Amino acid sequence: RLSWRSVGLEGLTVMLHFWLLVGPGFYVAGVAMFAQSVFARTTATTRPVMWQQAFQGGDVLQALWGKGGQMLIVVRCALVEQIAFALFTGLFMILRYGYSPFLCCPAARITSVTSWVYGHVLQVHSLILLTHVALNVTWGILAAILNPEKFLPMGTAAVVVIVVVVTTNRELSAAARALRNVVA
């Protein structure tokens, strides 16, 4: 018999898993909508979609399918990818947490196939997120060259993060090699 506390804890765990998978994409969606608002103020030829309309829902969803306001194709692709990933993650989590591994063979087969497919979808989504972050870091470093007073702290922080990650990776790899040599 399950207690309410254990059911609540499991529910929170599932919600945390969902948020950790879908949450970083909201950053990409936010930056995409910021780019859309810059486009709307500078080069839009018809009524553009503004980022504030994302909270209304209907205008953005209509613009994603080419109806309603004008939207950049890059923004459209980023938002469609994020929405599709969130829906696919929700479906995967329902299948993953809904089926027990002790069920009959077809249910276990469905779970293993969806895990394999979702692994590939997650790899593509992670590649898109990492590409987006790399582009933002690159533009931050380039902006530090053009306007050092405003963007140098961001450019410096990006370079420091890169150097720390590379240095830590080299040190840990060297320690692992030394440990393998001692054990072998």
Side-chain angles (χ1 to χ4, degrees):
R1 184 168 158 98
L2 293 174
S3 69
W4 284 105
R5 183 175 181 209
S6 64
V7 170
L9 192 59
E10 288 297 319
L12 285 174
T13 303
V14 171
M15 292 172 81
L16 179 65
H17 286 167
F18 183 78
W19 179 249
L20 287 175
L21 290 169
V22 176
F26 284 119
Y27 166 74
V28 173
V31 171
M33 287 308 292
F34 177 74
Q36 174 67 21
S37 68
V38 171
F39 165 74
R41 284 182 266 136
T42 56
T43 57
T45 56
T46 61
R47 184 183 69 84
V49 175
M50 299 296 287
W51 69 269
Q52 294 92 343
Q53 293 169 328
F55 298 108
Q56 297 170 353
D59 290 340
V60 174
L61 292 177
Q62 286 180 355
L64 286 176
W65 309 122
K67 303 170 186 162
Q70 188 177 11
M71 182 179 277
L72 282 169
I73 187 70
V74 174
V75 174
R76 181 177 291 137
C77 290
L79 293 177
V80 166
E81 190 273 335
Q82 178 56 32
I83 291 169
F85 181 74
L87 292 174
F88 197 75
T89 299
L91 176 66
F92 171 74
M93 294 188 85
I94 288 171
L95 291 174
R96 183 75 177 158
Y97 288 109
Y99 286 124
S100 171
F102 305 110
L103 290 177
C104 63
C105 194
R109 181 81 175 143
I110 289 172
T111 303
S112 66
V113 168
T114 56
S115 294
W116 182 82
V117 170
Y118 187 73
H120 288 29
V121 169
L122 186 59
Q123 284 179 343
V124 170
H125 182 71
S126 299
L127 180 66
I128 290 170
L129 286 176
L130 291 174
T131 302
H132 186 76
V133 169
L135 284 172
N136 282 343
V137 167
T138 303
W139 279 110
I141 293 170
L142 290 174
I145 296 169
L146 296 175
N147 190 353
E149 291 177 2
K150 186 174 182 182
F151 296 108
L152 190 58
M154 184 175 65
T156 304
V159 170
V160 166
V161 166
I162 292 168
V163 168
V164 165
V165 167
V166 168
T167 305
T168 304
N169 184 24
R170 286 182 186 160
E171 289 176 1
L172 290 175
S173 296
R177 264 187 257 108
L179 183 61
R180 276 191 224 113
N181 291 339
V182 168
V183 171

